[in-house]
Amino acid sequence: MKNERLNGKIVVITGASGGLGEQIARQCARNGANLYLLARSQGRLEQISTSIREQYKVKCTTIRLDITQYEQIPSVFQRIYEEAGKIDVLVNNSGYGIFAEAENIKIADVEGMFAVNVIGLIACTKEVIPSMCKQQSGQIINIASQAGKLATPKSSVYSASKHAVLGFTNSLRMEMSIYGVQVMSVNPGPIRTTFFDKADPSGSYLENLGRYMLDTEKVAANIIASMLTNRREINMPRWMDIAGTLHTLMPRVVERVGRKAFFKK
């Protein structure tokens, strides 16, 4: 499906060196957007950028950025504004998780998840707010997770970080609405990417729930179709979103009925 609204627009994507970020980049380019791809892996970014430029004939610039190095973020966005003049869409995609019971989680991993998933996301967002408010247009897309709506065993800290993303996004949406700036959260279930190489080195999650994994291209296509619209949030898959809603309404029942499934990772 084509999204004509993206043609000629400037889209900035964090965590663009693979997985969902790469797919979002490729599908944005297919729709005529010019891109700035940000991630730590400069080599991988260059490979993706070269492929995108050759295939889609759009501008695609890479900038190495570790979003936990907060002092670097302002200069990166200043460069983008100097080169492109504006940013139409910011996709805060950088994120990772570590699955471990609360008793066993390392404080370094707690700090790391919040540094990337929450503080880095907020720091990048702050860099586009003044300009988007001034131009009274633009969109901020925050990649959260169904884990931010329904926490399960061994994901306490990861879920907490995504709860924080949703809280920030929901507040920001109201703040930005008076300026005509759109804010959308994306809440996918597990996606078949390298995310689980780090989140679950044992492989038990993939072994137990691999058949329920979402496809990166389908998730990206849903996001692309909603770019520069006033859609509030994307929830995938449908059954997991229903489970999260039921948990809000009947938490004790859902936790009892779903107990066996929740402990499968």
Side-chain angles (χ1 to χ4, degrees):
M1 179 187 295
K2 289 285 288 183
N3 183 344
E4 299 293 346
R5 294 179 298 273
L6 285 174
N7 189 43
K9 295 295 191 291
I10 306 298
V11 179
V12 177
I13 305 169
T14 70
S17 59
L20 182 60
E22 177 183 353
Q23 280 300 322
I24 294 171
R26 291 186 181 279
Q27 294 191 36
C28 280
R30 188 183 303 157
N31 284 275
N34 297 307
L35 304 171
Y36 279 84
L37 308 184
L38 314 180
R40 291 182 301 174
S41 178
Q42 184 68 36
R44 180 62 183 147
L45 283 179
E46 290 295 345
Q47 292 175 358
I48 294 169
S49 179
T50 298
S51 172
I52 285 175
R53 288 195 299 266
E54 291 177 351
Q55 185 171 2
Y56 299 111
K57 313 304 180 188
V58 297
K59 294 179 181 178
C60 187
T61 304
T62 66
I63 305 176
R64 186 185 184 282
L65 175 64
D66 178 348
I67 65 170
T68 66
Q69 303 299 309
Y70 313 128
E71 71 281 357
Q72 298 177 7
I73 293 175
S75 61
V76 167
F77 279 84
Q78 182 179 355
R79 172 185 163 183
I80 296 171
Y81 278 113
E82 288 175 353
E83 293 179 1
K86 64 174 181 173
I87 294 173
D88 296 295
V89 181
L90 168 64
V91 182
N92 283 309
N93 174 69
S94 291
Y96 79 98
I98 300 289
F99 290 163
E101 293 175 346
E103 178 185 5
N104 301 319
I105 193 78
K106 298 176 182 177
I107 294 300
D109 290 332
V110 176
E111 292 175 340
M113 278 185 272
F114 271 84
V116 174
N117 299 356
V118 183
I119 303 175
L121 178 149
I122 293 172
C124 290
T125 301
K126 282 175 60 64
E127 294 303 316
V128 303
I129 288 174
S131 179
M132 286 187 176
C133 288
K134 184 176 180 180
Q135 68 195 27
Q136 297 198 336
S137 66
Q139 185 178 38
I140 298 164
I141 300 175
N142 293 333
I143 308 300
S145 172
Q146 285 294 324
K149 295 191 166 189
L150 176 57
T152 56
K154 294 180 70 175
S155 67
S156 57
V157 175
Y158 177 69
S159 292
S161 74
K162 293 302 184 177
H163 274 288
V165 170
L166 286 174
F168 174 72
T169 304
N170 291 338
S171 177
L172 182 68
R173 183 183 299 110
M174 289 187 279
E175 292 177 7
M176 294 297 98
S177 64
I178 61 177
Y179 298 101
V181 178
Q182 298 143 349
V183 179
M184 180 173 71
S185 65
V186 180
N187 309 306
I191 306 174
R192 194 174 296 280
T193 69
T194 57
F195 173 91
F196 292 97
D197 294 348
K198 190 167 189 175
D200 178 44
S202 70
S204 61
Y205 191 97
L206 288 175
E207 181 180 347
N208 290 321
L209 298 174
R211 61 183 174 173
Y212 298 113
M213 293 284 180
L214 294 167
D215 178 73
T216 53
E217 291 189 23
K218 291 181 180 179
V219 177
N222 204 343
I223 294 169
I224 300 305
S226 300
M227 280 189 173
L228 296 175
T229 72
N230 62 358
R231 186 169 182 177
R232 186 178 188 277
E233 60 182 24
I234 293 173
N235 294 289
M236 300 176 70
R238 176 80 174 150
W239 66 266
M240 192 172 284
D241 181 41
I242 292 172
T245 301
L246 289 175
H247 184 261
T248 301
L249 299 173
M250 302 178 294
R252 193 183 300 274
V253 173
V254 172
E255 288 171 11
R256 184 174 66 247
V257 173
R259 179 179 176 84
K260 184 177 180 181
F262 293 158
F263 274 92
K264 278 194 172 183
K265 67 174 175 294

